Amino acid sequence: MYFCIRKGEIYLFSMRIVLIGAGNLATHLGKALCDAHHDVLQVYSRTISHAQTLADTLHAQYTDSSAQLLTDAECYVFAVKDQVLPSIIKEVWGMHVNPSALFVHTAGSIPLNVFPEEINSYGVLYPMQTFSKQREVDFTHIPVFVEGNNDETLKRLEVLAKSISQSVYRLSSADRRYLHLSAVWACNFANHCYDIASRILDHIGVPFDVMLPLIDETARKVHELSPKDAQTGPAVRYDEHVMNAQLELMKGQPILQDIYRQLSQSIHERAEE
């Protein structure tokens, strides 16, 4: 254990960590942990090239075999796809790793009880952000939500989270479901709308770049206004002439037409509240 200093604060804390996963979140979380002077010992991925690429960045060992996992780490962080999380947790625990080690998953929609009760110390560390390997992020500004199976574990998780982020919150599995749902609406669905807009522009040979000032201003507005007060467009006033004309432009694309109708109805009803 040694001093971990961030933003003028001193943490008498560091952990020897094995990182399970090598995708977008694992990549950024691994870098953040190393920046906070934690010791990422090893990266595990079922795709050996992915494990090696991330391990080389973190100056860690790598493996694609659970039989080769280090068993003396203080923390095992699982940053993998939701559907494989239960099986990989059991697989790692079955390797008879350090019984006092902290097991942590990073999923927004998976409850705490995905961990077997036989594990002594387990919890959740959920960074609420969208991650892509190609884009650097400042992890210190990412909200991190934690939950633990007991008070001691929760305190350990809070210290770990505070070593990489300035914004750390306790949140139960039940409430984290709503947080993740909100993030899907604000991020994933919004980005899909960008993709729809891009395809429409492709049809007339206009680059998507023309939308960036509009997207940037829309995002900036909600720093000062509530999303409800920032809403504009034909659906707010329910301008059926404009809306019907735009629906006609999507003739032959019934799914997009239905999305347009449903969102417009929701926007108008919200504006009337």
Side-chain angles (χ1 to χ4, degrees):
M1 182 172 292
Y2 48 84
F3 290 101
C4 176
I5 304 173
R6 181 184 59 75
K7 301 294 184 182
E9 298 181 20
I10 300 176
Y11 293 91
L12 293 171
F13 180 80
S14 72
M15 298 193 82
R16 292 162 48 83
I17 296 170
V18 169
L19 188 56
I20 312 295
N24 293 328
L25 171 54
T27 296
H28 289 284
L29 180 56
K31 291 177 181 178
L33 290 168
C34 285
D35 288 345
H37 304 290
H38 296 286
D39 190 2
V40 178
L41 305 172
Q42 186 180 46
V43 176
Y44 166 89
S45 173
R46 289 174 176 169
T47 304
I48 190 64
S49 60
H50 295 172
Q52 182 176 4
T53 297
L54 180 53
D56 287 348
T57 300
L58 305 180
H59 306 290
Q61 301 178 37
Y62 62 91
T63 183
D64 63 350
S65 170
S66 59
Q68 296 178 351
L69 284 172
L70 299 175
T71 58
D72 60 347
E74 296 171 293
C75 182
Y76 293 81
V77 177
F78 296 81
V80 297
K81 293 179 180 178
D82 291 0
Q83 59 265 36
V84 303
L85 184 57
S87 61
I88 195 64
I89 288 173
K90 291 179 181 178
E91 191 175 334
V92 174
W93 179 243
M95 296 310 299
H96 304 290
V97 298
N98 177 6
S100 65
L102 173 60
F103 273 48
V104 182
H105 83 64
T106 58
S109 58
I110 303 298
L112 181 67
N113 63 11
V114 71
F115 291 105
E117 291 184 359
E118 294 82 5
I119 298 176
N120 295 321
S121 184
Y122 56 86
V124 180
L125 188 152
Y126 170 53
M128 193 181 67
Q129 182 56 280
T130 175
F131 296 101
S132 297
K133 291 181 182 179
Q134 304 91 329
R135 287 187 55 81
E136 293 298 322
V137 297
D138 183 351
F139 221 98
T140 63
H141 294 295
I142 295 174
V144 174
F145 297 84
V146 297
E147 182 182 15
N149 67 314
N150 55 50
D151 287 343
E152 181 182 351
T153 298
L154 184 56
K155 289 175 182 176
R156 291 174 71 192
L157 271 168
E158 282 184 315
V159 175
L160 176 62
K162 286 178 180 179
S163 73
I164 61 174
S165 172
Q166 298 174 0
S167 303
V168 177
Y169 306 88
R170 295 184 178 187
L171 199 67
S172 69
S173 290
D175 288 344
R176 188 163 24 85
R177 294 181 306 160
Y178 290 98
L179 178 72
H180 191 246
L181 173 62
S182 178
V184 167
W185 277 102
C187 174
N188 305 131
F189 287 174
N191 189 73
H192 183 62
C193 289
Y194 299 158
D195 184 48
I196 292 171
S198 179
R199 283 181 280 158
I200 292 170
L201 291 173
D202 284 345
H203 181 69
I204 58 172
V206 175
F208 182 70
D209 288 0
V210 302
M211 287 291 161
L212 296 181
L214 177 63
I215 291 170
D216 291 343
E217 175 59 17
T218 302
R220 279 193 293 266
K221 280 202 297 185
V222 294
H223 285 264
E224 301 174 10
L225 303 172
S226 71
K228 180 178 185 294
D229 290 339
Q231 187 69 60
T232 61
V236 173
R237 56 187 183 275
Y238 217 73
D239 188 330
E240 293 187 81
H241 176 73
V242 173
M243 291 163 60
N244 287 334
Q246 293 187 338
L247 283 166
E248 182 64 23
L249 293 175
M250 293 180 282
K251 188 176 181 180
Q253 301 179 82
I255 292 178
L256 292 189
Q257 287 181 320
D258 189 49
I259 292 172
Y260 184 98
R261 289 191 190 97
Q262 296 290 341
L263 282 176
S264 295
Q265 182 66 36
S266 180
I267 289 169
H268 181 67
E269 289 179 359
R270 178 66 171 145
E272 293 291 292
E273 290 179 358

